Structure formats: structure tokens, C-alpha cells
Amino acid sequence: MTVRARRIAVIGGGPGGLYAAALLKRLDPDREITVWERNAPNDTFGFGVVLSDETLGGIEHADPVVYRALQDEFVRWDDIDIVHQGRRHTSTGHGFAALGRRRLLEILHSRCRELGVDLRFQAEAPPIDELREAYDLVIAADGVHSKTREAYADAFGPHIEEHRNRYIWLAADFAFDAFRFDIAETEHGVMQLHGYPFSEGGSTVIVEMREEVWQAAGFDRMDVRESIEACAKIFTDALGDRTLKTNNSSWLTFRTVVNDRWSHGNCVLIGDAAHTAHFSIGSGTKLAVEDALALAACLTEQPTTDAALTAYEEERRPVVASTQRAARASLQWFEELGRYLDQPPRQFAFNLLTRSRRVTHENLRLRDAGFTEAVEREFGCPEGTPPMFTPFRLGGLELRNRVVVSPMDMYSAVDGVPGDFHLVHLGARALGGAGLVMTEMVCVSPEGRITPGCAGLYTPEQAASWRRIVDFVHTRAPGTAIGVQLGHSGRKGSTRLMWEGMDEPLPERDDNWPLVAASALRYRPDSQLPRELPTAELADVREQFTSAARNAARSGFDLLELHCAHGYLLSGFLSPLTNRRTDAYGGSLEGRLRFPLEVFDAVREVWPDDRPMTVRISATDWAEGGTSAEEAVAIARAFAAHGADAIDVSTGQVVSDERPAFGRSYQVPYADRIRAEAGVPVVAVGAISSWDDVNSLVLAGRTDLCALARPHLYDPNWTLHAAAEQGYAGPGVTWPQQYGAGSRRPQTGRLDAPKPRLMLPG
């Protein structure tokens, strides 16, 4: 490999490929750079391109000539209009800049020619193997259908997912005065229009809908002209009498592209060849341009091409992954648009604006306080009260705020008896201001423990110790409720303490106990083999749960949650991956639900009527053949029908070979769907880490309560600090008298966060 790439081939003449060529030539005029583009110079797909101020800042520092040319062309605006149920709501302060895609390409063509880049239009690039042999570096900017990626699929490891909405790129000969979202509820189903200006006399218009709606409306039988005429009629409120136009437009389905690796030898992927992000967050061109910036910088800074390609991927991959998570959230929101149609129009608008999690309650409040306050009033927030501090009634229990300390196993009990550690752990978090504090999973029998350190509620000593903790919470943290989570480990029991080896079996010499499960399946290859629970013994397990529930009631708990998640005993009955039974307690979902519902009914019968019961479920197993999203909704409906006051929606931990899609708030969409489709209150969990997230999710109507675990380990006073940071001092949270002096945030020195890497070396 050469020390520095001198001869460079670029496959694809889109913005990413052209900008990479221009930057690399500008940084080293002696480089020989050739770009192959199979289309003519004026051929382009789509109409307008939106770029962020961050991206423009990088362009300004990297190539002032291109930046000035773009500045002269940009159309700028601040507003977003959402039209829903005939009402138009406007949010301002968003700051967009756009220009025509054709004009962007013309600017980049001109810059490349000025610098001496060899542009070859209407020319297929030579075979990739020949290019790799003849050039020091091959930049594959050949788009979502990349032939380069396909040729080296074994090396790049592509994962391509095709989504279910149909969309078409069109244009209108006038400029919208805002970024506009129009929702049309037609006889065939819901359709949406995304529109934004890209010049003084032109706007991009994207029409999108579910596949089944597209077919029902007859678009699958129309040619392009008929399609655009039909779209113009559907969205007359947005378009007036104006017509739409096309440019090689066709109905498409979006493809999410992810690659395990972005380089192979001296070949590297950029832009859509490496990754795609749904158009609803406007990041395709932005990502491609930023890829070009980073690649050019790394090739300048690093001593070898190999090192540069490694550095490029290390720098860009986290940024792209974050953008793709946001894009997926936005894409899924529009795929499931129908579930939000009954929301009040302002809440619907807020939900749309915050769909990707990039825009949140706090930054929307800073951009447009009037709009945000109107949404809060409509939601029912008392004046000056953030959404997270609005009360919520759960059965007969009123919670003063929407924050839950999630169940967290502490593995610190002795013979199942919670001790001083549990008193301090749960007491500290109760003093910390949460509306509801949950215990760890409290086991209903010695054989139902996960580890020797797990707490129980099957002896009088255990019940008395829990009573001590509950009394402390009620006495010292008035206004905070405390709930108990009851469960049985099933096949995941008889394991070591977490810090000794998560899910690892106890050494043979230790006091192992026999395991029971829905079916005789090991959790891990080295796990103990459980015994399939015979039908005759189901009543014994039910009695263990009801006995523990009686003890919990006597201990004074305000709420009881039945643990039917994470692969423990009751979860093992629910999942088709762990329930292989052939009797009445297996097979169909109705059969798999039978025993968990029997346990729920038995517990509900002995649990006081005025105290709520919730159920935690795993809404997906993150594994092929596991619980489907539709089944999760059906499970939630079944428990609600039997009297569950809320569903605590978690995911996974059912099988050891799961592949979760981790990320911020990654489990919330499952709670959102259950809340909308099952019509039951939900608790959302899963990497909800900030009070801004809690405000955003609650106000958007995606959840009723938010359960946080790790943030409460980091900061037992998380809720109190959230109130202080928002300047809130109302009834939704109360500082203990002893802590009153700490209710203001301490002064700190200045901390300047590093700015994103968008500059080339000087």
C-alpha cells in the first residue's frame, strides 16, 4: 500500500463522490482523480437537498469556494407546519437551509473542473478489480444499489432491510413557506405529504403511505402521470390548484443499508453505498458530504492509506449509527402513523416533531415556547409544571409524577431476607423524588431465586424485613409509592451473583437447586437443564405466588407487579422459543397465555382491590421465531382484560442468542404500540436516560410512566435534580427537609464540550 493515495478513482457522481474528489484534489493538486458517473450531468433524482448548519460549517472551513457558492443559492426558513384533521399548527425556530439538487451538482461539477478533477459522464466505471489494481484508492459512492458493495459483499458484510411504506419524489412550481406535513385520512387509509422549498419558485413534495393503502387506492395500477394527478387531488389543501411534476419519479420502498465494514483493501464506501437514513430526517446528502469531509481529513492526517481508512470508519461509524437510529425511529413513526390519528391535533404535532428523538421537549421549548406551552396546556400540565411532574392515577393509586425507579436486582439478600443494604438502597431512591420506587424481582420460593443473593417473600422473616423498608418509605418519603415485583426464575435460576458471572451456573460444589420451566430447555449451553413443569404442579406454583402476594399486602406495598418478562418462569410460558409444550399450556398464544393468566388471576384475587397490579412483559425476544409485535399487543390486551392496571413493557433476555437493537429509548416503540393498540396504560423502559426524554415521551403520548434504572444507580436523587434543573418546585416532587439546602444546582467551572469534527487540517 502506498504511503499516500496519489491516483484515486471515484465511482458515482453524486454529492458525496464529487465533494470527496474536490476536497482531495484541493488538498493535494498533484493527485490524479477520476470520477465515473453513468448518468448525464443534468440527470438527477429528487429535487431539493436540505443541509444543516453543522454540515455547512464543515464545508465553510474545508472549501470556502463551495461554501460561498452554496450560500448564494440557499433558501432558508424556520417554520414547520403540521396539518391534521383540518387544523394547521405551526412550530418555529427550526432553521432549515435547502437548495435544488441539480444546482448543488452544478456547483460541485464546476469546482471539480476548476481543480482539475477528470469528470466522466455517461460512462460506466471499469470493473472494480481493474480499478483497484490501477489506482491507489477507489472511493465507491455508487449509492444505495452499489455494485461495488455487491461485488465485495463477503468483505463489506451488508445488511439491507426493505421497509413497507411506498413513497414518490415529486416537485411543485411554488415555494412552501414552511416545512409542511399534511395528513390525509382517505377512504383507503392514511396518506402523508412531506413538502419543503428548495428555491424561490420550487418545492420538493414527497407522498408516502403504507403498501396496503397504496394498493387500495389503485396506485399500483396507475402510470406516473395518473399517480401525480391523484396525489395533487388528495392534497389540494397544500397544493391548491397547482400541479405536480416528476423527474424520473417512481413509487419506491425505502431500503436501510448497514455494512459491517466500510473498506476492503484500497476500496472504501461512502454515502448511501455505506449507509442510508430515511428521507424524513433529511440526512442522506448530509451524511455523504460529511463522509467526504472525514475521509479527506483522514487521508491527509494518517501516514498510510490503510490507517486513513481505519480512522475514517472509526470516526464516522458512531455518528452514522446515531443518525440511523434517529432515522429508523422517524421511519417507523410514519409507518405507524395511523395509531396517532385520534390524538388531539397539538399533541399529534408535538409527537410528529419529536418522533426521531433528535428534537425533544426541551429544545422545542427553547425554539418555540408558545407552541410547547400550548401542547402542555392541552395535555393537562398545571401552569409551570413539566410533563414529567404531572400526576397520574394508576387504579386506586395516584402517583405524584411520571418517574419510576425500575426494578434492579441487587443480589444482596441473605436467605432471601432484605437487609440494611436494601433499606438504604430503596430508601435513598424514595427520598430522591420518584413517583414510584420498585423493588428488585422478589422471588416466591427458594427454588424460584435467580441467585443465592436474591430477595424473597416466602417466609415471615422476609415479610417483616420488607415491612421495615416500606414503613421507611411511607414515613420518610411521603408522596412516594413503593411497589413489589414478584417473580420466579424458571430456567434462569441457580446462577452466580451478577459480579461473579452474569447467568453463569453455580459451581457444582455449591448449593444448587433444581430448576423448573415451561419446557426442558437450557438457557445457555452451560446452564442447568430444567425439568418441564408438570400440569399437576402448576397449582403449587400458583400458590407460591398468592402466598407471596399476601405477604406483600401485609408488608404494606402500594403496588404489585407480576414479572412475566426476561425469560423467567412466566415469560418462559409466553414465548414460543421457550414453550414447546403439547398440552393446554403450550402451542397457540392462547395456550401459552393460559398459565401466566391463571397466576395473575390468583394473585389479583388476594391482592387488595384498592391497590393496582401491573405486569412486566418482554414485547420482543430479539430472536427469529420469538414473540411478535402483534402477539405482544395481544398479551397486553389479555392481561388488561383480566384486570392489569398497566403493562410494564420491556424486551428480550428470553434467549441467550438474542440480538437487541440497543440505543437511546430503544424499547419505547413497543410500549407506544401497546398503549395505542391495546388501550392500556404503559410503563416505558430501556435507555431512557434524561429528564428531557421523560418529558418528551410523556407529552407525545407514547407512554404514561417512564422507568429508569441505571440513571438511578448513578444518581439516587435523579428526580429531585431533574426538578432543580428545570426550575420546578411544585407538588410533583418534594425535597426532604434535611436536603433543602441542596435544592439548587451547585456552581461549576466552565466546561466547553469538544466540537464535532468537521474541519480539515489547515
Side-chain angles (χ1 to χ4, degrees):
M1 185 65 66
T2 57
V3 174
R4 292 285 176 88
R6 313 297 298 172
R7 301 188 73 240
I8 299 173
V10 180
I11 307 172
L18 290 169
Y19 195 48
L23 289 175
L24 289 166
K25 187 69 172 176
R26 176 176 178 266
L27 287 166
D28 186 349
D30 291 334
R31 282 184 172 128
E32 177 189 327
I33 302 178
T34 305
V35 177
W36 280 270
E37 169 54 52
R38 60 189 179 89
N39 294 305
N42 291 328
D43 289 346
T44 185
F45 302 93
F47 294 93
V49 173
V50 179
L51 295 175
S52 69
D53 289 340
E54 181 183 50
T55 305
L56 291 173
I59 293 172
E60 180 179 13
H61 287 92
D63 192 334
V65 174
V66 171
Y67 176 76
R68 286 193 295 271
L70 294 176
Q71 283 287 88
D72 292 340
E73 300 290 337
F74 273 127
V75 174
R76 294 183 177 274
W77 72 100
D78 291 320
D79 293 351
I80 297 177
D81 286 346
I82 297 105
V83 181
H84 172 228
Q85 295 179 352
R87 297 176 64 183
R88 175 173 170 173
H89 292 288
T90 300
S91 174
T92 193
H94 296 278
F96 294 101
L99 78 164
R101 181 179 174 88
R102 179 171 292 173
R103 183 63 188 127
L104 172 61
L105 293 177
E106 290 172 351
I107 290 169
L108 294 175
H109 292 162
S110 175
R111 184 59 171 153
C112 284
R113 291 191 184 97
E114 177 186 333
L115 292 166
V117 174
D118 182 4
L119 299 179
R120 302 183 182 182
F121 295 104
Q122 294 180 296
E124 290 286 350
I128 184 63
D129 289 337
E130 293 182 15
L131 287 176
R132 291 186 62 205
E133 183 69 26
Y135 287 83
D136 300 327
L137 176 65
V138 179
I139 300 173
D142 48 349
V144 64
H145 301 290
S146 171
K147 292 183 179 178
T148 309
R149 185 184 64 230
E150 183 179 336
Y152 296 130
D154 290 344
F156 292 123
H159 305 277
I160 300 173
E161 181 181 1
E162 192 153 347
H163 299 280
R164 58 187 178 184
N165 271 17
R166 290 275 183 169
Y167 68 95
I168 188 169
W169 286 87
L170 302 167
D173 289 327
F174 73 98
F176 285 120
D177 55 8
F179 203 126
R180 180 165 176 139
F181 295 96
D182 269 59
I183 311 303
E185 297 179 51
T186 75
E187 60 182 314
H188 308 294
V190 63
M191 305 176 188
Q192 58 261 22
L193 176 148
H194 312 235
Y196 59 88
F198 62 81
S199 69
E200 292 183 359
S203 295
T204 293
V205 175
I206 306 168
V207 176
E208 184 186 18
M209 66 197 73
R210 290 278 286 264
E211 171 79 19
E212 60 269 26
V213 176
W214 181 75
Q215 291 184 2
F219 285 112
D220 57 332
R221 300 183 297 277
M222 299 180 193
D223 60 26
V224 173
R225 181 186 59 79
E226 292 170 328
S227 284
I228 64 176
E229 289 176 355
C231 289
K233 289 179 182 177
I234 292 167
F235 293 102
T236 52
D237 286 348
L239 301 171
D241 295 328
R242 305 176 182 94
T243 59
L244 292 168
K245 66 179 183 179
T246 177
N247 180 14
N248 296 316
S249 303
S250 61
W251 288 99
L252 306 169
T253 54
F254 190 80
R255 306 173 89 206
T256 294
V257 175
V258 176
N259 284 280
D260 294 336
R261 291 164 298 281
W262 294 357
S263 64
H264 171 53
N266 65 338
C267 180
V268 63
L269 305 176
I270 71 170
D272 284 354
H275 44 70
T276 58
H278 192 248
F279 57 82
S280 61
I281 68 167
S283 288
T285 301
K286 174 183 183 295
L287 288 177
V289 168
E290 291 179 358
D291 282 354
L293 278 162
L295 180 60
C298 291
L299 285 165
T300 301
E301 295 168 343
Q302 299 298 323
T304 68
T305 302
D306 279 342
L309 299 188
T310 299
Y312 155 72
E313 184 167 346
E314 288 177 350
E315 180 176 325
R316 290 295 296 156
R317 186 174 285 278
V319 177
V320 168
S322 175
T323 302
Q324 287 191 307
R325 284 193 295 270
R328 177 176 288 273
S330 180
L331 176 155
Q332 290 175 337
W333 195 93
F334 282 109
E335 284 186 340
E336 304 298 340
L337 175 62
R339 74 168 62 136
Y340 306 114
L341 295 177
D342 292 335
Q343 286 188 320
R346 278 199 183 89
Q347 186 182 47
F348 177 90
F350 179 86
N351 197 350
L352 187 154
L353 291 170
T354 59
R355 68 195 181 279
S356 73
R357 303 188 289 270
R358 287 290 178 91
V359 176
T360 63
H361 171 268
E362 178 63 9
N363 58 43
L364 191 57
R365 185 185 66 81
L366 294 173
R367 297 178 191 191
D368 191 347
F371 172 81
T372 307
E373 289 168 3
V375 180
E376 291 172 346
R377 285 195 301 272
E378 191 174 75
F379 180 77
C381 297
E383 186 175 354
T385 301
M388 66 184 292
F389 293 116
T390 56
F392 184 73
R393 178 162 290 278
L394 197 59
L397 177 66
E398 175 140 326
L399 300 176
R400 64 182 178 184
N401 62 53
R402 307 301 183 99
V403 179
V404 178
V405 176
S406 199
M408 294 175 279
D409 288 322
M410 292 290 107
Y411 309 105
S412 299
V414 177
D415 295 327
V417 179
D420 289 347
F421 177 88
H422 294 82
L423 174 66
V424 174
H425 166 67
L426 293 170
R429 280 141 191 88
L431 291 171
L436 172 65
V437 174
M438 293 297 301
T439 69
E440 61 198 82
M441 184 178 95
V442 176
C443 304
V444 298
S445 68
E447 299 78 18
R449 291 175 298 161
I450 308 166
T451 76
C454 288
L457 252 174
Y458 46 85
T459 71
E461 294 79 12
Q462 294 164 358
S465 190
W466 281 119
R467 178 83 214 190
R468 175 189 177 216
I469 294 168
V470 171
D471 285 347
F472 177 89
V473 172
H474 288 161
T475 302
R476 294 295 186 176
T480 296
I482 182 167
V484 62
Q485 186 188 70
L486 293 184
H488 186 298
S489 63
R491 69 176 186 156
K492 295 178 73 175
S494 196
T495 62
R496 305 179 189 216
L497 304 182
M498 178 182 66
W499 45 87
E500 295 175 351
M502 186 78 169
D503 294 325
E504 292 183 12
L506 287 169
E508 289 297 327
R509 65 180 182 274
D510 286 3
D511 295 327
N512 281 279
W513 54 87
L515 305 180
V516 295
S519 298
L521 299 169
R522 301 179 194 271
Y523 177 62
R524 299 188 342 177
D526 61 345
S527 297
Q528 183 187 146
L529 180 66
R531 177 172 58 90
E532 182 173 303
L533 193 60
T535 305
E537 295 181 21
L538 296 179
D540 296 335
V541 175
R542 284 199 302 273
E543 177 56 32
Q544 291 171 357
F545 274 94
T546 56
S547 177
R550 291 188 186 96
N551 285 336
R554 287 192 287 268
S555 296
F557 284 104
D558 301 300
L559 173 148
L560 186 149
E561 179 165 283
L562 190 64
H563 201 337
C564 296
H566 300 168
Y568 299 123
L569 180 65
L570 299 181
S571 170
F573 274 86
L574 291 173
S575 172
L577 296 177
T578 52
N579 186 338
R580 306 288 176 81
R581 301 174 74 101
T582 57
D583 61 7
Y585 294 94
S588 67
L589 179 59
E590 180 183 7
R592 303 197 309 272
L593 264 165
R594 191 180 307 276
F595 184 57
L597 287 174
E598 288 179 357
V599 173
F600 180 91
D601 289 343
V603 171
R604 180 73 269 185
E605 186 174 345
V606 303
W607 184 246
D609 290 339
D610 60 339
R611 303 188 208 176
M613 265 189 74
T614 63
V615 179
R616 174 169 277 205
I617 68 170
S618 286
T620 178
D621 299 335
W622 298 113
E624 187 175 353
T627 300
S628 68
E630 292 76 17
E631 285 182 326
V633 172
I635 290 168
R637 282 197 182 110
F639 280 114
H642 282 244
D645 294 285
I647 305 298
D648 185 354
V649 186
S650 187
T651 66
Q653 303 178 56
V654 174
V655 293
S656 61
D657 59 346
E658 66 178 4
R659 297 190 63 176
F662 289 120
R664 176 169 153 240
S665 307
Y666 72 105
Q667 297 178 119
V668 170
Y670 295 93
D672 186 1
R673 178 168 184 169
I674 286 170
R675 184 180 190 272
E677 296 185 16
V680 59
V682 296
V683 184
V685 305
I688 302 169
S689 57
S690 72
W691 51 260
D692 196 13
D693 285 341
V694 177
N695 282 330
S696 301
L697 296 171
V698 168
L699 189 58
R702 295 179 204 147
T703 189
D704 299 286
L705 301 167
C706 288
L708 300 91
R710 287 179 177 83
H712 282 114
L713 293 179
Y714 180 77
D715 178 7
N717 297 313
W718 187 89
T719 310
L720 292 177
H721 292 155
E725 289 169 12
Q726 296 175 80
Y728 173 72
V733 67
T734 303
W735 281 79
Q737 289 180 330
Q738 299 88 336
Y739 291 177
S743 60
R744 294 183 185 178
R745 195 174 194 176
Q747 293 182 346
T748 61
R750 179 176 175 179
L751 296 174
D752 290 328
K755 294 182 179 180
R757 160 69 176 284
L758 284 175
M759 298 183 187
L760 293 177

